[in-house]
Amino acid sequence: DAKTTQPPSMDCAEGRAANLPCNHSTISGNEYVYWYRQIHSQGPQYIIHGLKNNETNEMASLIITEDRKSSTLILPHATLRDTAVYYCIVIINAGNMLTFGGGTRLMVKP
Amino acid sequence: KAGVTQTPRYLIKTRGQQVTLSCSPISGHRSVSWYQQTPGQGLQFLFEYFSETQRNKGNFPGRFSGRQFSNSRSEMNVSTLELGDSALYLCASSLGLAGEYEQYFGPGTRLTVT
């Protein structure tokens, strides 16, 4: 599976959009981009995933560049409860394990 | 639907002992994966079970083992515990194989080895 690079930490003001970048320059054509987050002392939580097209659900939007070498997770209106470590993972569909990197520690401030 | 449940939530063991942790997946989920989380190494994959068969294994010694039952419930066992095995052990379930479907994580079992 391709390796991902994320900034170790980011701050965001409450109510503003949080844009979390992820670099996956070695991604191959059949690898999906997944995002999970882990709020302190809890198990990770699935957020969203995509292959080529941009995706949106009730939690977030995922923007994948046309060359698929990077992506951005967008939390449109961050709240204090969005403070967590966000993990970007790329994985071949089916049969492969998830490899979690260091993630980005997002701090949402009042 | 009930979420993924793990028992026990907290455990204290002594070096050399063995431990068994249990995971009940979301109803209908057939895959169960196990992860170890420590401050130094982060989240590391242990193994995945699907339809009672181990499908993937991470880079952990043979002291770490697991199994899955016909109702998809899973157990993991660590024998001859070492101090370095102190960690949060997380279980995740998915409809199918990890990577094909999103995973839903339990709250974890915090193991302390003294």
Side-chain angles (χ1 to χ4, degrees):
Chain A
D1 296 328
K3 182 177 165 54
T4 61
T5 304
Q6 298 178 255
S9 64
M10 290 181 63
D11 289 344
C12 177
E14 189 179 18
R16 303 297 295 268
N19 296 279
L20 292 93
C22 179
N23 181 285
H24 32 79
S25 57
T26 60
I27 195 170
S28 60
N30 58 348
E31 285 184 309
Y32 283 72
V33 180
Y34 275 79
W35 284 82
Y36 286 80
R37 73 180 182 184
Q38 187 172 24
I39 296 169
H40 184 61
S41 299
Q42 297 181 21
Q45 177 190 24
Y46 165 79
I47 301 173
I48 199 167
H49 75 280
L51 181 64
K52 295 181 194 176
N53 300 321
N54 298 336
E55 302 287 346
T56 295
N57 63 21
E58 64 280 2
M59 287 183 69
S61 295
L62 174 60
I63 308 297
I64 302 174
T65 58
E66 197 169 332
D67 62 9
R68 305 207 325 122
K69 293 186 176 182
S70 66
S71 61
T72 301
L73 179 75
I74 301 172
L75 307 177
H77 305 286
T79 70
L80 298 179
R81 289 181 297 178
D82 292 321
T83 292
V85 177
Y86 287 77
Y87 296 98
C88 167
I89 301 160
V90 294
I91 185 165
I92 294 173
N93 191 15
N96 271 316
M97 60 194 190
L98 268 63
T99 302
F100 288 80
T104 295
R105 186 172 297 276
L106 175 69
M107 179 74 72
V108 180
K109 298 183 175 179
Chain B
K1 257 187 189 176
V4 177
T5 57
Q6 293 187 244
T7 55
R9 292 292 312 278
Y10 302 92
L11 204 50
I12 299 175
K13 289 285 189 179
T14 305
R15 264 183 306 176
Q17 288 186 313
Q18 77 163 13
V19 67
T20 299
L21 311 181
S22 181
C23 172
S24 292
I26 291 172
S27 177
H29 285 195
R30 297 172 62 192
S31 168
V32 173
S33 298
W34 288 89
Y35 295 83
Q36 181 196 66
Q37 186 170 32
T38 60
Q41 299 296 319
L43 262 165
Q44 293 188 286
F45 172 80
L46 280 156
F47 27 66
E48 178 186 15
Y49 285 87
F50 180 82
S51 294
E52 302 178 65
T53 302
Q54 188 180 88
R55 296 300 298 262
N56 270 307
K57 189 176 191 308
N59 189 24
F60 279 82
R63 300 185 296 108
F64 292 81
S65 62
R67 59 177 177 168
Q68 186 181 33
F69 302 96
S70 58
N71 61 358
S72 293
R73 192 177 68 85
S74 177
E75 289 181 347
M76 69 161 280
N77 184 76
V78 188
S79 62
T80 319
L81 283 165
E82 300 177 359
L83 293 179
D85 296 334
S86 293
L88 180 67
Y89 289 88
L90 291 156
C91 159
S93 77
S94 55
L95 275 172
L97 291 169
E100 189 171 295
Y101 295 90
E102 59 268 28
Q103 292 193 308
Y104 295 85
F105 285 78
T109 294
R110 185 163 296 282
L111 171 66
T112 302
V113 182
T114 62

